[in-house]
Amino acid sequence: MSSDQKYLHSGTGAVGRPAGCVDSDHPQQKLYTVIQVFAAGRDDKSTMKQLITDYTTTVEKSAACPHDVVSSSR
């Protein structure tokens, strides 16, 4: 787990939580990025860390990450 608790990774898989992704229609739902490697003999923890970090950052900047303001009246 990363020190900011935003990423969890191993040599063959990783999970990230994009910051600021809020959909006002579904404020309780969280968006996560997930990567898994299925190739035998491919186990590289540092590469997975870089891959999930880069992928999650890209998702944060994309249309897949809505930055809606959640209304406090809900």
Side-chain angles (χ1 to χ4, degrees):
M1 173 91 47
S2 63
S3 61
D4 62 0
Q5 298 189 3
K6 186 175 176 178
Y7 304 103
L8 177 65
H9 63 280
S10 70
T12 59
V15 178
R17 180 151 180 231
C21 294
V22 179
D23 183 341
S24 60
D25 291 334
H26 306 283
Q28 300 302 317
Q29 294 181 358
K30 309 293 186 220
L31 176 66
Y32 292 91
T33 52
V34 179
I35 298 171
Q36 187 172 8
V37 175
F38 293 101
R42 300 290 183 187
D43 186 320
D44 188 335
K45 193 171 181 178
S46 65
T47 298
M48 289 304 293
K49 178 181 179 181
Q50 187 64 50
L51 184 58
I52 195 65
T53 301
D54 291 349
Y55 179 52
T56 302
T57 299
T58 300
V59 170
E60 288 172 343
K61 296 175 183 177
S62 76
C65 181
H67 295 280
D68 296 352
V69 176
V70 179
S71 170
S72 59
S73 65
R74 285 187 179 229

